[in-house]
Amino acid sequence: MHEFTVTPYAVEGDVDYDRLLEQFGADELTDEQIADFPQPVHHLVRRGIFYAGRDVDRFTAAANCGDTVSIVTGIGPSGPMHLGHAYHFYHAKYLQEQTGAYVYIPLSDDEKRFSKELSFDEIHKHARENVRDLVAVGFDPDRTSIVVDTADADVVYPLAAEFATELTPATVEAVYGPPPNVGLGFYPAVQATHLLLPQLVHGPHPTLVPIAVDQDPHVRVCRDLAAKQRYDVEKPAALLSKFLPQLGGSGGKMSSSDDAPSILLTDDRETVREKVLRHAYSGGRSDVEEHREHGGDPSVDVAYQLLFYFFEADDTELERLAADYRSGDLLSGELKRHAADRIADFLEAHQRRRPDGPISEVVEPYRLTDGERDQLSPEVFDDV
């Protein structure tokens, strides 16, 4: 049995997603649950990329009835955004379009200071560029809030301090292991604030947290906290995804620290093509003649897997590509060029929507309003 590690701070080895569910205590999505997602069901759910969760039925039932629902999914601003980040946000945008959900996007700049050897200046430089990419996704600004922990500390910190009183060191260590510093020991209370923020603003309602499976510990701790009777909130539902494959293959996740480079949301067409052609692990044969005779294996071919995950929504076209590859009619280089073109098409459209100008103006429509701040922040020096 091969070994692997999956935590919010490290993913190592070839991940066994079924074993991971046993470790985390989550359930694989059933066909009935998948069918209950807003129609048409997004191919990320239909194809099992989002493959497991907790309490997704409450979210889908409320969404299908037109009731209030929300989505929380964020990013740690430790570098440029890449394809491994993009599909979560585009899926959240799709759900917002289908359901009218409020979307909250936390940027955990404090957590990156605690867990990475980065200064706040470096982290905030990444955060500003991440915000431009988040706005380019196309969320409805009237129903979307971007929250940065240190910039919105007047809201985040008092709530996190309140929630921290309910989290014991033993609870945190049982889920995360011993924290390397007191900052990461406190961070689960901040993450709980992120996940409960929509309900603290809009009242109790089903909240869905669509995240990569390595982030599930944050949801587990928050669900335990939300179950306490003193808080008028529902336990947030988790929707867990597999990792977008690394260009170099294996069962890890795409990361900017891989030996094979990640594809950034700011890469141009030539850069995408060079990265895919040079680095994408091939499921093809060692030479053209052998490939024509025996065919390739799309299940391990990274170019095909990128199409399967996100960049080919048409099931019929995807099946045709797989069949042609298995038969040897489609060569590895041809499949790589096709995938590179589809990715570049997506990125060019994303980049056309990516806003320029002062970051304060870019983010302003997505910041918490004065009314929300007044509702959530303690008025220490107001007369009572």
Side-chain angles (χ1 to χ4, degrees):
M1 183 179 291
H2 66 269
E3 295 304 316
F4 61 91
T5 299
V6 175
T7 75
Y9 309 114
V11 176
E12 300 173 356
D14 192 354
V15 177
D16 183 326
Y17 289 103
D18 292 332
R19 279 176 58 198
L20 201 57
L21 292 189
E22 295 176 10
Q23 293 176 18
F24 285 180
D27 296 317
E28 188 171 2
L29 295 179
T30 66
D31 291 342
E32 291 77 12
Q33 287 175 314
I34 291 170
D36 281 342
F37 272 80
Q39 301 295 320
V41 179
H42 196 282
H43 65 269
L44 283 167
V45 175
R46 194 174 68 244
R47 293 177 185 162
I49 310 306
F50 281 104
Y51 79 116
R54 296 182 183 83
D55 283 347
V56 295
D57 312 77
R58 290 192 295 110
F59 174 86
T60 54
N64 290 333
C65 290
D67 295 340
T68 298
V69 293
S70 62
I71 296 165
V72 180
T73 189
I75 186 171
S78 60
M81 287 180 65
H82 54 67
L83 295 186
H85 302 121
Y87 69 103
H88 285 94
F89 292 109
Y90 274 90
H91 178 244
K93 180 233 182 181
Y94 176 82
L95 289 177
Q96 183 181 61
E97 291 174 337
Q98 300 301 105
T99 67
Y102 294 103
V103 172
Y104 282 68
I105 305 173
L107 273 71
S108 51
D109 57 339
D110 51 349
E111 183 256 355
K112 290 307 172 189
R113 183 69 184 94
F114 303 145
S115 63
K116 300 280 188 180
E117 293 184 1
L118 295 171
S119 68
F120 267 127
D121 284 345
E122 293 171 300
I123 292 166
H124 291 156
K125 179 180 178 181
H126 293 312
R128 290 188 286 271
E129 294 308 304
N130 290 174
V131 165
R132 296 185 193 278
D133 281 311
L134 292 169
V135 171
V137 172
F139 293 105
D140 178 356
D142 293 332
R143 304 183 74 82
T144 305
S145 297
I146 294 175
V147 179
V148 180
D149 286 345
T150 59
D152 295 300
D154 58 322
V155 169
V156 172
Y157 180 77
L159 293 169
E162 175 66 30
F163 295 143
T165 65
E166 302 288 343
L167 297 176
T168 67
T171 297
V172 172
E173 288 196 24
V175 176
Y176 297 91
N181 53 57
V182 295
L184 279 182
F186 180 76
Y187 182 71
V190 178
Q191 184 65 272
T193 301
H194 296 161
L195 302 186
L196 297 178
L197 202 55
Q199 297 188 66
L200 299 174
V201 173
H202 301 287
H205 64 263
T207 296
L208 184 70
V209 186
I211 47 173
V213 67
D214 60 328
Q215 300 301 302
D216 180 62
H218 298 317
V219 185
R220 299 206 307 273
V221 169
C222 182
R223 283 170 58 83
D224 288 346
L225 188 148
K228 298 180 184 295
Q229 296 298 313
R230 61 181 295 183
Y231 301 115
D232 188 18
V233 292
E234 297 186 16
K235 292 191 291 186
L239 180 64
L240 307 177
S241 82
K242 300 175 182 178
F243 301 122
L244 190 73
Q246 307 170 84
L247 283 181
S250 84
K253 70 173 182 177
M254 183 174 283
S255 165
S256 9
S257 60
D258 291 339
D259 292 335
S262 54
I263 298 175
L264 306 182
L265 301 192
T266 51
D267 281 347
D268 60 25
R269 184 173 292 271
E270 282 307 308
T271 300
V272 171
R273 176 169 282 212
E274 190 275 335
K275 287 181 177 180
V276 173
L277 290 178
R278 181 177 178 184
H279 296 283
Y281 182 83
S282 170
R285 303 290 176 169
S286 57
D287 59 57
V288 171
E289 183 176 330
E290 186 181 3
H291 187 92
R292 291 292 191 199
E293 182 178 354
H294 298 290
D297 181 359
S299 70
V300 299
D301 190 282
V302 169
Y304 178 82
Q305 290 302 312
L306 291 173
L307 293 167
F308 178 87
Y309 266 64
F310 191 64
F311 296 99
E312 180 51 73
D314 187 326
D315 290 344
T316 302
E317 174 64 9
L318 196 66
E319 289 168 6
R320 182 192 69 79
L321 290 169
D324 287 352
Y325 198 56
R326 291 191 191 97
S327 71
D329 291 339
L330 181 66
L331 298 176
S332 294
E334 294 170 333
L335 181 58
K336 285 185 176 186
R337 284 188 288 274
H338 177 72
D341 284 342
R342 293 304 303 270
I343 294 168
D345 290 344
F346 167 83
L347 290 181
E348 286 179 350
H350 175 89
Q351 291 159 14
R352 286 193 294 270
R353 296 189 300 270
R354 198 173 189 273
D356 296 319
I359 193 62
S360 58
E361 295 178 9
V362 169
V363 75
E364 182 60 31
Y366 301 90
R367 298 210 68 190
L368 295 170
T369 66
D370 290 341
E372 290 168 335
R373 289 180 185 282
D374 290 343
Q375 178 183 345
L376 295 168
S377 302
E379 300 295 342
V380 177
F381 295 115
D382 276 12
D383 293 327
V384 294

